[in-house]
């Protein structure tokens, strides 16, 4: 933490952690970021959480990559075995020319042998370039990123039923609501600045309905806390909607004007009386009825959801229910109303918009449409690429095991930590005959690399990012990258040239201009405008319109302008607890640690606050298995076992375990199930059968 006058320069940029997208001022002295303050961005109005304020010094960490690295001929066999402070046993330093030649030699001309994972931590321009590199360079769509592990099922349901994968209203609209549902999200830990708006909403009398199998700090502010049985989301939500139908609390005028398939939804809901559902979801019928009346009686109501909704094999069905609830009550398109999946990574919205997904080109234009593809190849100046939807994150891992993919380019993602059943993913990475990793540290994934290309942190680069609110914001460089590290767009461009592509980009603004040609969502948003205004929300209706906080006031981007009700059936979790694995494991983030921990565990303040891997269990569970808080507990699923420090937490139900996924020494994903939702292809991170026990004495 610096003195308020102890800096030479201040640079406006955007926090690199969560999808809230808080604007920051980076205070710089002697080529280093000394401290950070919040500034008046549209999402944060000067506020920051502990990560945004104190989690920045990873950019100056000793582990930063400063030169390209090439795997040594005499390196040990590929595995999770590289010490980031003593990597010389595995890699040797190389010049950029040598490293780019080595990287491209293993990719060039290999067509379908190659797949790519881009990153939601990179800018929009970098995401666009990455998907272009795979599609133009290798002729197919096997390119994906961590949206597949995050909100892919929410996006699938939103595209299906309202015609757009983004939020219908900014989270700040809650100030105009009188009722809000927060389900499967823990904003005080994961979207902390958004949570401050939720708390303010309750202070002025707004009714907050929190629904989550795990208790959470927002409970203190809630009018209703529904701690339902894990996996029972569809039963609970259908029961609430059943009451709205039964008591005729729906908005018939809105339904008639703006929706389709209402009769099918109505008859489907007849089978979900609260009295029949209460034992399944663990919430008594009267509470379900009261919540239904509260939501349906609101003048303006919003629904927020997180990965507790999306990370299930029925994640798309969960989101379908939330969309139906909003539609039947007419709670879309007006001030204080709307659907808002709280996006995770700082640029997961933007990376998805930019086409970093296997089924869609920029602006969700489908790869299966010949006209769409030819519009791209006309500008790209190259031949057609495949009309077949590409493979997703977990499908690419399986394709490596099946010898269908043999080389990968991974930019800023860490599948050796983030994928479900991660031993399976690690074995796939080890099996590749060529792996190029572009990152700022030797991540767990970089352990398996043949070539490592040193990239830039957020404070070292120019580029735009798009937050959960659809706000496109300008990130600016405050300090130079360390050593010979370079901006990601530059690295991808140089790699593309060596793979035979005729790319001539010299600045991200040129890439942004090319993207605009394909993306109507960026109409009226220019690089110069963002330089001047810092943020513009899409859609922006004119060169001076700051953008539309609320969309779909008069119809939806679907046939005849109508949103759709899609009835959701009950699909049980893929793995039921049994005598061997009697409890339920759920995974997630903590306030201080971000995703796979590569940044926050190298941030001195955050690491000091939360230094040790830990799992949370109810005190009664710990007593039952004979483990005291602070002692080690062994957690075992059908995939693997970890031994980790136990924390007593009454917010976790007695038959549950909560395990954060930031800790490599007790990696949560050694335990998780790789079963996926059939539509979004998102893994069921929120439900695995697990056994918790006292470890055997050593
Ligand atoms: Fe950064 Fe998110 Fe915290 Fe804002 S709420 S400071 S974007 S981590």
């Amino acid at each position: 933490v610096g003195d308020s006058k102890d800096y030479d320069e201040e640079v406006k940029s955007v926090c690199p952690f969560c999808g809230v997208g808080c604007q920051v001022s980076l205070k710089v002295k002697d080529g280093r970021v000394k401290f950070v303050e919040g500034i008046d961005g549209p999402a944060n109005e000067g506020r920051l959480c502990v990560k945004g304020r104190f989690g920045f010094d990873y950019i100056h960490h000793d582990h930063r990559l400063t030169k390209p690295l090439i795997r040594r001929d005499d390196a040990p066999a590929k595995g999770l075995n590289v010490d980031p402070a003593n990597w010389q046993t595995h890699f040797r330093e190389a010049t950029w020319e040598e490293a780019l030649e080595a990287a491209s030699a293993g990719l060039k001309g290999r067509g379908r042998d190659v797949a790519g994972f881009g990153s939601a931590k990179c800018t929009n321009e970098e995401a666009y370039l990455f998907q272009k590199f795979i599609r133009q360079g290798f002729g197919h769509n096997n390119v994906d990123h961590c949206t597949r592990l995050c909100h892919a099922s929410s996006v699938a349901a939103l595209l299906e039923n309202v015609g757009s994968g983004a939020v219908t209203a900014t989270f700040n609209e809650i100030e105009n609501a009188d009722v809000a549902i927060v389900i499967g999200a823990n904003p005080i830990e994961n979207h902390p600045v958004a949570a401050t708006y939720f708390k303010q909403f309750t202070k002025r009398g707004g009714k907050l309905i929190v629904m989550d199998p795990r208790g959470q700090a927002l409970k203190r502010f809630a009018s209703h806390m529904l701690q339902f049985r894990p996996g029972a989301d569809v039963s609970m939500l259908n029961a609430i909607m059943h009451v709205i139908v039964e008591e005729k609390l729906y908005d018939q005028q809105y339904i008639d004007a703006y929706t389709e398939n209402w009769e099918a939804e109505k008859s489907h809901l007849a089978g979900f009386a609260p009295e029949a559902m209460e034992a399944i979801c663990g919430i008594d019928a009267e509470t379900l009825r009261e919540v239904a009346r509260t939501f349906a009686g609101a003048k303006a109501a919003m629904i927020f959801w997180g990965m507790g909704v999306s990370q299930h094999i029925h994640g798309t069905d969960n989101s379908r229910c939330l969309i139906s609830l909003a539609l039947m009550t007419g709670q879309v398109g007006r001030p204080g109303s709307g659907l808002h999946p709280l996006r995770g990574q700082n640029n997961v919205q933007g990376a998805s918009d930019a086409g970093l997904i296997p089924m869609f080109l920029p602006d969700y234009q489908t790869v299966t449409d010949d006209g769409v593809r030819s519009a791209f190849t006309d500008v790209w100046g190259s031949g057609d690429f495949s009309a077949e939807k590409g493979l997703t994150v977990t499908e690419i891992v399986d394709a490596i095991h099946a010898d269908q993919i043999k080389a990968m380019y991974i930019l800023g993602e860490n599948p050796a930590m983030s994928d479900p059943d991660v031993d399976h993913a690690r074995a796939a990475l080890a099996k590749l005959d060529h792996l190029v990793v572009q990152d700022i540290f030797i991540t767990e994934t970089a352990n398996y690399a043949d070539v490592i290309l040193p990239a830039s942190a957020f404070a070292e680069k120019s580029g735009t990012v798009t937050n959960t609110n659809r706000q496109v914001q300008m990130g600016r460089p405050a300090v130079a990258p360390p050593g010979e590290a370079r901006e990601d767009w530059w690295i991808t461009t140089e790699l593309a040239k060596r793979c035979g592509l005729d790319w001539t980009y010299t600045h991200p603004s040129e890439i942004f201009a090319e993207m605009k040609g394909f993306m109507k969502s960026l109409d009226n948003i220019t690089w110069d405008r963002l330089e001047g205004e810092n943020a513009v929300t899409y859609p922006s209706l004119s060169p001076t319109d700051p953008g539309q906080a609320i969309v779909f006031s008069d119809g939806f981007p679907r046939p005849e302008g109508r949103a759709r009700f899609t009835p959701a059936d009950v699909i049980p979790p893929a793995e039921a607890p049994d005598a061997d694995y009697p409890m339920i494991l759920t995974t997630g983030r903590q306030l201080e640690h971000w995703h796979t921990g590569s940044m926050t565990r190298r941030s001195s303040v955050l690491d000091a606050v939360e230094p040790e891997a830990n799992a949370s269990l109810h005190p009664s569970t710990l007593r039952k298995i004979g483990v005291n808080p602070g002692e080690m507990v062994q957690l075992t699923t059908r995939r693997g076992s970890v031994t980790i420090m136990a924390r007593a937490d009454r917010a976790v139900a007695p038959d549950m375990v909560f395990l954060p996924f930031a800790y490599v020494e007790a990696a949560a994903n050694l335990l998780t199930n790789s079963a996926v939702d059939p539509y979004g292809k998102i893994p069921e991170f929120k439900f695995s059968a697990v056994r918790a026990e006292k470890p055997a004495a050593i």
Side-chain angles (χ1 to χ4, degrees), residues 15 17-22 47-49 51-53 190-194:
C15 173
F17 292 107
C18 88
V20 171
C22 297
R47 310 168 201 199
L48 292 180
C49 78
K51 288 191 287 290
R53 193 174 296 281
N190 299 327
H191 300 85
V193 165

Side-chain angles (χ1 to χ4, degrees), residues 241 265 319-329 565-566:
M241 290 191 284
E265 177 76 31
S319 295
R320 285 170 173 158
C321 290
L322 298 173
I323 293 164
S324 294
L325 178 58
L327 293 177
M328 70 171 60
T329 48
F565 289 98
T566 298

Side-chain angles (χ1 to χ4, degrees), residues 34 55 110 300 423 579 668:
K34 301 296 281 187
R110 296 188 68 174
D423 263 346

Side-chain angles (χ1 to χ4, degrees), residues 466-541:
T466 307
N467 69 358
T468 190
N469 279 348
R470 296 181 265 103
Q471 284 147 351
V472 186
Q473 308 199 83
M474 180 59 79
R476 299 182 179 84
V479 293
E484 296 176 21
R486 300 298 302 257
E487 291 187 45
D488 292 275
W489 70 266
W490 181 90
I491 301 171
T492 304
T493 299
E494 291 302 314
L495 197 53
K497 287 184 196 166
R498 284 162 183 79
C499 287
L501 302 181
D502 183 22
W503 288 14
T504 55
Y505 305 108
T506 60
H507 191 270
S509 58
E510 298 161 7
I511 306 163
F512 187 80
E514 182 175 314
M515 292 166 65
K516 276 176 59 63
F518 298 119
M519 298 176 69
K520 273 201 73 52
S521 60
L522 296 179
D523 281 359
N524 297 308
I525 305 177
T526 63
W527 186 272
D528 286 347
R529 206 181 153 191
L530 290 169
E531 282 279 25
E533 297 175 33
N534 296 325
V536 180
T537 305
Y538 76 75
S540 166
L541 304 183

